[in-house]
Amino acid sequence: ALCQVIHFDAPVSRPLKAWLLGGNTYLPPSVRFLWTQEMPEEFHARYSAVARSYQYTILNRAVAPGLFGGNVSWCYRPLDVSLMQQAANFLLGTHDFNAYRTRACQAHSSVRTLHSLAVSRDRDLVIIKVKANAFLQHMVRNLAGVLMAIGKGECPPEWAKEVLDSRDRTQGGVTAPPQGLTFMQVDYAEEFVLPTPVFSFFS
């Protein structure tokens, strides 16, 4: 996660800078508070969210990743980004995404609204950016798995919609590996006035 948001109820009052610096003192090196802010009682980091964004990054070349191996997925077969985007367009809007979640998912409803699903290439990287009101367990990785199969030419773009319409997880193919999946951002109503996320390699 690059920009996760949490909330907690504190039994004491301290300056915001003290929460920031003191909190980071006790966190492991891989986790950092970037800001702190007092919020109204009705705010909830999870239930007040109106949208979430993920990115799935694929290293698409013959040679496996080295330094960033834990942060990217790898596909040695060439991926056709245009075919992947055609497939992605079938999934936009409000649908029952039961076929795109794990069988162990405990969400009561599998209906979600996909606001955007964009596939692009930056040299050897194929980047899938997805935004929805909420996600099901493994939903992004299952979306990525279907799009990768289509990008490799194993299935036509229309297969993404066939999987969706089936509402059957067994029709969805392979779940993409966890490497490459990054939680990018969570959106809240403007009334909460939270800082704009700033993404940096040094975050």
Side-chain angles (χ1 to χ4, degrees), residues 72-200:
V72 296
S73 180
W74 175 51
C75 180
Y76 66 89
R77 292 172 56 184
L79 294 173
D80 188 323
V81 170
S82 63
L83 292 179
M84 295 171 72
Q85 186 60 62
Q86 290 178 44
N89 293 339
F90 288 116
L91 305 174
L92 296 175
T94 303
H95 305 285
D96 185 338
F97 283 94
N98 191 63
Y100 284 93
R101 66 168 170 174
T102 178
R103 294 186 194 179
C105 179
Q106 297 181 356
H108 296 300
S109 172
S110 52
V111 175
R112 296 292 185 269
T113 300
L114 212 59
H115 299 306
S116 62
L117 181 54
V119 186
S120 62
R121 177 181 287 278
D122 182 1
R123 290 168 290 185
D124 287 336
L125 295 178
V126 172
I127 301 167
I128 302 172
K129 294 184 177 181
V130 56
K131 182 176 182 178
N133 65 330
F135 289 90
L136 301 161
Q137 186 177 4
H138 290 182
M139 180 173 166
V140 178
R141 290 170 57 193
N142 289 333
L143 289 169
V146 166
L147 294 180
M148 289 170 69
I150 292 169
K152 288 183 285 188
E154 296 175 354
C155 303
E158 292 77 14
W159 181 57
K161 187 176 187 305
E162 293 172 5
V163 172
L164 179 71
D165 292 341
S166 75
R167 301 181 183 179
D168 181 358
R169 174 64 204 127
T170 63
Q171 302 301 310
V174 177
T175 300
Q179 294 83 0
L181 180 65
T182 304
F183 181 82
M184 299 296 292
Q185 181 176 334
V186 55
D187 296 341
Y188 297 95
E190 292 183 1
E191 64 189 82
F192 292 123
V193 196
L194 294 178
T196 301
V198 177
F199 303 126
S200 167

